Amino acid sequence: QVGFGKVSYLWPIFSGDTMSQVFTVSKIRNTSDGHHSIINFTCDLINQRDRLCMRADKALLFQFPVPESNLAARVVPDEPLLDRHLFRDHLLSKATTVLAEHPSNSLADLKPGMLILHTMHRSLTFSQSQQLASLARLTHERHFNSRKYDRTHEIFVPGGLVLGITMSAAARDLYEILHEEIQSCAYVNNLHPENVVGAISYVQAVDDNLPGDLEVVSVTTLGIKNIDTRDLANVDIPAELFQPGIFAKELEKICKNSCPILSSKIVVSVQRKIVRQTRHREVFLL
């Protein structure tokens, strides 16, 4: 799995819902060495009422090249603009009523240019990784076959789980997130069972022109393996690592040249926009 892009949560999923998936091939290309191919999919998650609940662009790496093709991909139509943001707009409409009655317990105010060293860390055992991969019906033997691959450096934790435990490590300091969109997610280095994952986040922008105590935060989060993030307190971390749209190879090059302690340690880079409740702000009129 190479990464995700344009991940939108369009409608909540409730207990008892029946979900179906629709994958549409949007792009096919061979890698520069000519031995592999990267196929991009548009992935839709649809409930039993035919409502689109989630959409994402996903890129997967395959161990074979594909023939050249001049066929154009069928364009996946977007949901109507109002439907695409219906859930987010529903939350915003409650900002001065329901949400106002339950003020945020956020731990910190977020400001543009802020670097957060998240102190929570997460890991998955081989058994946990196997169980979750089986639940998601993943089939690649690099997730399961410990007779053929060594658990410590050849068995891989699936990409979705890498993203999940990274977001979990960052969640407390960004509390309370009500809605989010993942603009891009790039996997940089492999993660193995028992590796410990921490996270660091850089706040790109904050927009508080929303009703009530809500704000939209643009943030870049890096998942880092086998490093206690508190050990980075006195390390100069290059701002270039948090550039939107940066590729995995570029991240590694920056680390090797400017921040060796992070070389081969970044497992994922995630760009996202989150809607969160802030600390209650009192307005005084003089």
Side-chain angles (χ1 to χ4, degrees):
Q1 189 159 283
V2 178
F4 293 96
K6 300 179 182 178
V7 182
S8 298
Y9 303 95
L10 308 175
W11 192 252
I13 297 173
F14 302 96
S15 177
D17 281 357
T18 300
M19 311 306 299
S20 60
Q21 295 177 317
V22 177
F23 284 13
T24 302
V25 177
S26 58
K27 185 178 179 182
I28 300 175
R29 67 179 178 87
N30 290 325
T31 56
S32 57
D33 60 13
H35 301 305
H36 303 83
S37 58
I38 296 177
I39 301 180
N40 294 73
F41 300 87
T42 297
C43 308
D44 289 343
L45 193 62
I46 302 169
N47 67 14
Q48 70 275 16
R49 299 179 181 87
D50 291 326
R51 178 178 289 278
L52 180 61
C53 297
M54 180 179 176
R55 170 168 289 175
D57 292 338
K58 182 164 68 171
L60 297 177
L61 177 69
F62 292 87
Q63 295 181 327
F64 53 82
V66 294
E68 296 294 332
S69 174
N70 294 321
L71 294 177
R74 179 178 66 85
V75 177
V76 178
D78 277 334
E79 290 287 295
L81 186 60
L82 289 177
D83 285 345
R84 190 171 182 83
H85 298 291
L86 187 60
F87 180 46
R88 187 196 65 182
D89 292 344
H90 172 73
L91 291 173
L92 296 182
S93 72
K94 303 299 181 181
T96 57
T97 55
V98 177
L99 295 178
E101 298 172 1
H102 303 277
S104 172
N105 294 310
S106 59
L107 299 176
D109 294 323
L110 301 181
K111 304 294 182 184
M114 179 182 291
L115 180 66
I116 306 171
L117 304 178
H118 304 288
T119 55
M120 297 189 73
H121 296 77
R122 294 286 187 267
S123 65
L124 289 173
T125 65
F126 179 52
S127 295
Q128 290 172 327
S129 180
Q130 279 190 313
Q131 291 168 356
L132 293 169
S134 297
L135 185 66
R137 299 184 180 181
L138 303 181
T139 59
H140 201 292
E141 63 178 351
R142 291 297 285 263
H143 302 319
F144 303 99
N145 193 346
S146 59
R147 296 297 295 263
K148 183 177 180 181
Y149 300 105
D150 185 86
R151 294 187 187 188
T152 60
H153 63 278
E154 292 181 323
I155 291 289
F156 299 152
V157 175
L161 301 183
V162 176
L163 175 63
I165 59 176
T166 298
M167 296 298 95
S168 176
R172 183 173 65 179
D173 295 314
L174 301 177
Y175 185 87
E176 178 174 0
I177 298 174
L178 301 177
H179 185 268
E180 67 179 305
E181 295 181 5
I182 298 177
Q183 298 167 303
S184 67
C185 169
Y187 295 103
V188 185
N189 290 289
N190 294 318
L191 184 70
H192 310 289
E194 307 292 349
N195 287 175
V196 176
V197 175
I200 58 177
S201 293
Y202 180 78
V203 180
Q204 304 279 2
V206 177
D207 179 7
D208 59 4
N209 293 314
L210 272 69
D213 292 328
L214 300 183
E215 64 183 6
V216 177
V217 181
S218 299
V219 61
T220 301
T221 299
L222 302 180
I224 301 172
K225 65 178 179 179
N226 299 331
I227 292 180
D228 190 320
T229 53
R230 286 165 286 206
D231 294 338
L232 300 175
N234 297 316
V235 175
D236 291 329
I237 300 177
E240 292 82 4
L241 291 177
F242 304 96
Q243 295 179 73
I246 191 169
F247 293 106
K249 288 183 179 180
E250 295 173 351
L251 280 172
E252 269 302 296
K253 183 177 180 180
I254 293 170
C255 290
K256 289 179 180 179
N257 294 336
S258 304
C259 192
I261 192 174
L262 293 181
S263 181
S264 301
K265 297 296 184 180
I266 298 176
V267 293
V268 67
S269 172
V270 188
Q271 312 275 342
R272 55 184 173 150
K273 282 189 175 183
I274 62 175
V275 177
R276 70 188 288 265
Q277 281 185 283
T278 65
R279 291 183 175 184
H280 184 68
R281 296 187 292 264
E282 297 285 355
V283 178
F284 296 92
L285 299 178
L286 299 179

